[in-house]
C-alpha cells in the first residue's frame, strides 16, 4: 500500500507546516550555517559576561580560546599578577589550560600559560609547577609539532623560575611513555633544558643520569637517537667521568662508539649557558660581570651568557651513588677457573697477583665508593708495592691505590698514610711506567685524602733519600700538588713545613734534583700568592 506520508507533496506539506514557507533566498543548509554562526556569536557574547573562572572552564572551546587570548594581552600590560583579576583567576586554572581537551584550544592555552609564567614569580611556580607539568607532558608533548614547541617553552619558563627538579621529574616520566612520539618530545626537551640552562647550575643532572639508561634499548630508533644526543650534551657539561658509569657503559657497543666519536668533536667543560634564571637576570652571576645578563645573539632570539672563563667540570663524585666493592672481593669470579681475590693477591705466581690487583683497580674505578674497612686491602697493596719483584704488579698496585683514593676520598686517608712511605721509596724504580703510576696515585692522595702538611715527615724523609731519583720525583709531586691547593692558608702551612727540606735540594749534586727543587719552590710560591710568600725563606 502507498501512504500519502511517503509522497513528495506530503513531505513538502509537513516541512511547510513545521517551519513556515520555504525561503527561496537560501538553501536549507546555508540557512542552518547562518543560524549556527549567530548561535556561536551569542555563546561567545554570553561567555564574555561570565566571571574569569567560568570563562577558563567554559564548555565551548572557542569561549576558552577568547579567555586565553585575554590572558596574553593582560600579561603584556601587567607587571605583576596581583594587579589583574584576569591573571589571578588564570593562575588557579593554569593546569587546565595546559591540558585543554581541544587541540586548537590547547595551543592558545599554552600560549596563555607561557605569557602568564613570564610575569609569575618563583613562589607561584613552586606551588603549581607539578600540576601544570603533568598536563604539559600528557597533552602538550603528545600534540602537534607546534604544540610540542609551546610545551617545551613552558618547561623552559619553569626552569627560569627555578623549578628544575619538577621539570626534570616530569620529563623523565614522559620519556618512559609507551607512545614513542611523546617519549621523544620529552627526551628532546631534556636535552634543550641542559643546553639552554646548563647543568648542574639549574638543571639537576643526577636524576637524568639515573633515569635515561633504559632509553638506550627503546624499540623506537628516534628515541634511542635522542637519548644518545642527550648523553653527548651531558658529557659537554659534566665530563666523561660523570656519564661513563651511569650511561656510556650501559650502551651497546655501537652506540658507545658513536657517543665517544661525538664527544671528541665537542669542547668538554667549555659549554656556555644560553638562558638565565629570573633571579640571575636581576643579579647576573660573577662570570657574566661586565656584559649584559641577557644578550640576544645574531638577531635570532637566542639568549647567550657571555663569559671568557671556561666553567670547571663538576666533581663526578658528587653526582654518583656509592658503589660497594668489598663484598665483590669476597665472591668467586664468574670465571670459575679464576681464584678469589684474596687467594690470588697472595699467590706465589706473579700472574695471579697481577690479575688480582688489576681486578681491584677495575672495581675501584667508580666515581664514588661505599665506605667500609679497607685495612686489609691497603696492607695487601703495601706488600706488593714494597716487596714484589714484578714491576707489572707494582705498577697495577699503585694504580689501584690511586683509584681507591679517588673513589673513597677521606675514607681512604688512614690507608693512604699507611701506603705513602713505601710508595715514596718506590719512586726510585727504573721503570718509567711504575714511576708514572706511582706519581698519579700520589697526586690522588694529596687531592682527596690528606694535605702535604699532614704527611710532612714522610715527605722530608723522602727528600733526604740517598738515591737522587726519590727526592727528584718527590719534589715533582710537591710542585704538582701545590698547584692543586685551594687556599692561601693551606699553602702557607705547606711552605713552613716543606720549604726547609726543599731548599736543601737546591744544593744537591744531581742536576735533576736541583731543577725539581726549583719547580717545587715555584709551585709553593704560586699557591701562596706569589714569590713574596717564599722570598724570606729563599733569601736566607
Amino acid at each position: 500500500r502507498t501512504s500519502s506520508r511517503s509522497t513528495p507533496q506530503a513531505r513538502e506539506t509537513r516541512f511547510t507546516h513545521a517551519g513556515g514557507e520555504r525561503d527561496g533566498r537560501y538553501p536549507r543548509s546555508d540557512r542552518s550555517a547562518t543560524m549556527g554562526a549567530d548561535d556561536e556569536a551569542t555563546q561567545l557574547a554570553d561567555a564574555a559576561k561570565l566571571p574569569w573562572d567560568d570563562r577558563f572552564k567554559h564548555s565551548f572551546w572557542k569561549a576558552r580560546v577568547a579567555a586565553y587570548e585575554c590572558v596574553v594581552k593582560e600579561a603584556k600590560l601587567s607587571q605583576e599578577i596581583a594587579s589583574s583579576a584576569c591573571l589571578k583567576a588564570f593562575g588557579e586554572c593554569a593546569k587546565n589550560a595546559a591540558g585543554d581537551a581541544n587541540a586548537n584550544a590547547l595551543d592558545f592555552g599554552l600560549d596563555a600559560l607561557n605569557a602568564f609564567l613570564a610575569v609569575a614569580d618563583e613562589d607561584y611556580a613552586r606551588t603549581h609547577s607539578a600540576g601544570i607539568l603533568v598536563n604539559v607532558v600528557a597533552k602538550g608533548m603528545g600534540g602537534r609539532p607546534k604544540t610540542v614547541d609551546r610545551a617545551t617553552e613552558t618547561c623552559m619558563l619553569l626552569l627560569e623560575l627555578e623549578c628544575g627538579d619538577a621539570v626534570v621529574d616530569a620529563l623523565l616520566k614522559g620519556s618512559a611513555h609507551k607512545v614513542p612520539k611523546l617519549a621523544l618530545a620529552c627526551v628532546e626537551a631534556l636535552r634543550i633544558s641542559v643546553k639552554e640552562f646548563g647543568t648542574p647550575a639549574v638543571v639537576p643532572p643526577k636524576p637524568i643520569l639515573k633515569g635515561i639508561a633504559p632509553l638506550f634499548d627503546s624499540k623506537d630508533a628516534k628515541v634511542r637517537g635522542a637519548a644518545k644526543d642527550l648523553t653527548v650534551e651531558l658529557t659537554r657539561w659534566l665530563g666523561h667521568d660523570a656519564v661513563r658509569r651511569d650511561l656510556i657503559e650501559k650502551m651497546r657497543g655501537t652506540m658507545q662508539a658513536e657517543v665517544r666519536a661525538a664527544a671528541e668533536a665537542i669542547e668538554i667543560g667549555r659549554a656556555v649557558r644560553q638562558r638565565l634564571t629570573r633571579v640571575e637576570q636581576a643579579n647576573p652571576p660573577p662570570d657574566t660581570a661586565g656584559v649584559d645578563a641577557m644578550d640576544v645573539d645574531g638577531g635570532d632570539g637566542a639568549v647567550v651568557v657571555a663569559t671568557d672563563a671556561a666553567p670547571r667540570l663538576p666533581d663526578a663524585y658528587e653526582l654518583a651513588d656509592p658503589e660497594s666493592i668489598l663484598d665483590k672481593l669476597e665472591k668467586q669470579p664468574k670465571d670459575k677457573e679464576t681464584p678469589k681475590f684474596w687467594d690470588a693477591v697472595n699467590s706465589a705466581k706473579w700472574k695471579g697477583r697481577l690479575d688480582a690487583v688489576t681486578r681491584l683497580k677495575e672495581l675501584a674505578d667508580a666515581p664514588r665508593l661505599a665506605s667500609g674497612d679497607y685495612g686489609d686491602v691497603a696492607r695487601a697493596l703495601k706488600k706488593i708495592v714494597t716487596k714484589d719483584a714484578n714491576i707489572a704488579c707494582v705498577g697495577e698496585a699503585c694504580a689501584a691505590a690511586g683509584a681507591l683514593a679517588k673513589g673513597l676520598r677521606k675514607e681512604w686517608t688512614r690507608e693512604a698514610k699507611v701506603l705513602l712511605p713505601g710508595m715514596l721509596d718506590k719512586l726510585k724504580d727504573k721503570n718509567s711506567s711504575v714511576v708514572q703510576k706511582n706519581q698519579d696515585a700520589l697526586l690522588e692522595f694529596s687531592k682527596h685524602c690528606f694535605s702535604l702538611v699532614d704527611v710532612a715527615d714522610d715527605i722530608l724523609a723522602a727528600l733526604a733519600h740517598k738515591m737522587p731519583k726519590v727526592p727528584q720525583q718527590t719534589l715533582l709531586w710537591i710542585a704538582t700538588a701545590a698547584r692543586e691547593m685551594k687556599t692561601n692558608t693551606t699553602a702557607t702551612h705547606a711552605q713552613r713545613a716543606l720549604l726547609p727540606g726543599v731548599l736543601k735540594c737546591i744544593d744537591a749534586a744531581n742536576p735533576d734534583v736541583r731543577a725539581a727543587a726549583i719547580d717545587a719552590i715555584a709551585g709553593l710560591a704560586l699557591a701562596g700568592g706569589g714569590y713574596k710568600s717564599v722570598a724570606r725563606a729563599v733569601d736566607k
Side-chain angles (χ1 to χ4, degrees), residues 28 64 87 106 185 211 250 284 291 349 437 451 461 468 476 484:
R28 184 174 180 182
R64 298 196 301 275
L87 296 181
L106 177 59
K250 295 181 180 179
V291 299
K349 297 180 179 180
K437 290 179 179 180
S451 69
L476 293 178
E484 299 287 340

Side-chain angles (χ1 to χ4, degrees), residues 228-303:
K228 181 184 71 176
D229 293 341
L230 174 56
T231 301
V232 173
E233 190 63 36
L234 288 168
T235 304
R236 186 198 307 271
W237 288 91
L238 303 176
H240 290 290
D241 288 344
V243 303
R244 175 175 56 86
R245 201 76 164 189
D246 288 319
L247 299 181
I248 295 178
E249 290 183 0
K250 295 181 180 179
M251 296 175 176
R252 297 177 182 178
T254 303
M255 186 179 288
Q256 283 189 21
E258 291 173 352
V259 169
R260 289 194 175 101
E264 289 176 359
I266 62 176
E267 289 188 285
I268 296 174
R270 297 186 64 86
V272 178
R273 291 174 58 190
Q274 296 182 312
R275 291 176 74 156
L276 297 173
T277 64
R278 209 70 59 81
V279 171
E280 290 171 334
Q281 292 173 30
N283 301 287
D287 60 355
T288 62
V291 299
D292 293 335
M294 304 292 281
D295 181 32
V296 178
D297 181 31
D300 61 358
V303 179

